[in-house]
């Protein structure tokens, strides 16, 4: 599979994941975090804002993989 195809597939998967993750994060923030103390709210928003990167790192590595010249 070529780099362009991997990047296209990866971009579509990333956009879908981020869309659904944003809905999940908003639901968590509205339901549980809004009643917490301000320090906990701040930490929770930082974690929710950065944690989406962890499940997408393997996808990003796959997208950045160079083409195999033998195929």
């Amino acid at each position: 599979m070529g780099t362009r195809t991997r990047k296209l597939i990866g971009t579509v998967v990333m956009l879908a994941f981020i869309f659904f993750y944003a809905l999940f994060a908003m639901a968590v923030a509205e339901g549980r975090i809004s009643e917490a103390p301000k320090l906990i709210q701040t930490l929770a928003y930082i974690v929710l804002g950065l944690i989406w990167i962890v499940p997408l790192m393997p996808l990003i590595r796959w997208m950045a993989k160079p083409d195999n010249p033998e195929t």
Side-chain angles (χ1 to χ4, degrees), residues 16-49:
F17 177 83
I18 291 172
F19 175 77
F20 289 109
Y21 178 77
L23 294 177
F24 167 76
M26 287 186 290
V28 169
E30 185 65 30
R32 305 249 175 163
I33 298 173
S34 61
E35 295 130 13
K38 295 291 183 195
L39 178 62
I40 302 298
Q41 284 183 9
T42 302
L43 292 174
Y45 290 134
I46 290 170
V47 169
L48 284 172

